[in-house]
Amino acid sequence: MTGGNGNDWSGIITWAILFLGWFVVHKVTLIRERRKEKRETAKQFCTDLRELEIAALDFHTADNRNGRKATDLRQQVERVILQLQRKPLSQLNVPLSRMVVLRQRITRNNMDPSDFGSKLADDLFIYEIRNAITDLIASVEDEREKLWP
């Protein structure tokens, strides 16, 4: 340090405070951005669920069973459930029972070629599919609001 006039220490303290301030602002910004990304992921997941609903309704209300669409529908259900079990969506702690109900409502009945029957739009079977998806979306949105406001 030069001459002992004390100005050198004030410069060091100023730079230390400046660096500390930048560091805190940077960390807070990162936290906010991560939370925003998680909210967007949850929002996209809800959109994916609505697309799954459309695919399920198209399959179950079709005049004839389509084997390719049946396979695609099963795989789409599996992808959605796996996505919900991976981070960041796994942090939402959506009950496993909601995922099981979703799979059952969409794939348990009417998938076998021997018992396929076209369903009407107001059929109870279609209503249960819509309810399972709506319940899962509500769970995701409720938990999203709690965890990532």
Side-chain angles (χ1 to χ4, degrees), residues 92-94 138-148:
L92 296 174
N93 295 320
V94 173
S139 291
V140 167
E141 288 177 343
D142 289 346
E143 290 297 318
R144 180 192 68 199
E145 290 303 315
K146 289 179 196 172
L147 286 175
W148 309 315

Side-chain angles (χ1 to χ4, degrees), residues 58-73:
D58 285 347
F59 174 78
H60 290 294
T61 59
D63 291 332
N64 298 315
R65 183 184 183 279
N66 183 324
R68 184 187 55 78
K69 284 187 177 182
T71 300
D72 290 348
L73 187 58

Side-chain angles (χ1 to χ4, degrees), residues 45 48-49 51-53 55-56 69-86 89 96 98-108 111 133 136:
F45 179 76
D48 293 346
L49 282 173
E51 290 172 4
L52 174 62
E53 178 180 20
K69 284 187 177 182
T71 300
D72 290 348
L73 187 58
R74 281 188 201 105
Q75 289 176 344
Q76 194 174 0
V77 169
E78 290 304 315
R79 278 193 300 270
V80 163
I81 290 173
L82 287 174
Q83 188 178 359
L84 193 54
Q85 294 173 341
R86 285 190 297 253
L89 296 177
L96 182 62
R98 296 230 190 260
M99 293 178 245
V100 170
V101 167
L102 175 72
R103 178 183 289 126
Q104 287 176 343
R105 295 293 185 253
I106 293 176
T107 64
R108 186 173 63 181
M111 295 298 273
I133 290 176
L136 188 53

Side-chain angles (χ1 to χ4, degrees), residues 5-149:
N5 60 9
N7 288 337
D8 292 335
W9 280 109
S10 66
I12 292 172
I13 292 172
T14 300
W15 280 105
I17 291 172
L18 185 67
F19 176 75
L20 183 63
W22 170 84
F23 183 76
V24 169
V25 169
H26 177 69
K27 283 294 188 185
V28 170
T29 301
L30 284 177
I31 290 169
R32 186 177 62 242
E33 286 299 315
R34 285 186 188 126
R35 194 170 54 230
K36 180 181 174 187
E37 289 171 5
K38 290 175 182 179
R39 282 194 312 264
E40 289 172 358
T41 300
K43 184 177 179 182
Q44 180 59 46
F45 179 76
C46 291
T47 301
D48 293 346
L49 282 173
R50 287 298 177 199
E51 290 172 4
L52 174 62
E53 178 180 20
I54 291 167
L57 297 182
D58 285 347
F59 174 78
H60 290 294
T61 59
D63 291 332
N64 298 315
R65 183 184 183 279
N66 183 324
R68 184 187 55 78
K69 284 187 177 182
T71 300
D72 290 348
L73 187 58
R74 281 188 201 105
Q75 289 176 344
Q76 194 174 0
V77 169
E78 290 304 315
R79 278 193 300 270
V80 163
I81 290 173
L82 287 174
Q83 188 178 359
L84 193 54
Q85 294 173 341
R86 285 190 297 253
K87 283 189 177 186
L89 296 177
S90 64
Q91 296 172 337
L92 296 174
N93 295 320
V94 173
L96 182 62
S97 63
R98 296 230 190 260
M99 293 178 245
V100 170
V101 167
L102 175 72
R103 178 183 289 126
Q104 287 176 343
R105 295 293 185 253
I106 293 176
T107 64
R108 186 173 63 181
N109 297 320
N110 213 32
M111 295 298 273
D112 190 280
S114 64
D115 70 350
F116 179 82
S118 181
K119 305 295 182 189
L120 298 175
D122 61 350
D123 193 283
L124 178 62
F125 183 78
I126 300 298
Y127 179 75
E128 288 175 344
I129 290 173
R130 289 178 187 252
N131 276 348
I133 290 176
T134 301
D135 289 347
L136 188 53
I137 288 173
S139 291
V140 167
E141 288 177 343
D142 289 346
E143 290 297 318
R144 180 192 68 199
E145 290 303 315
K146 289 179 196 172
L147 286 175
W148 309 315

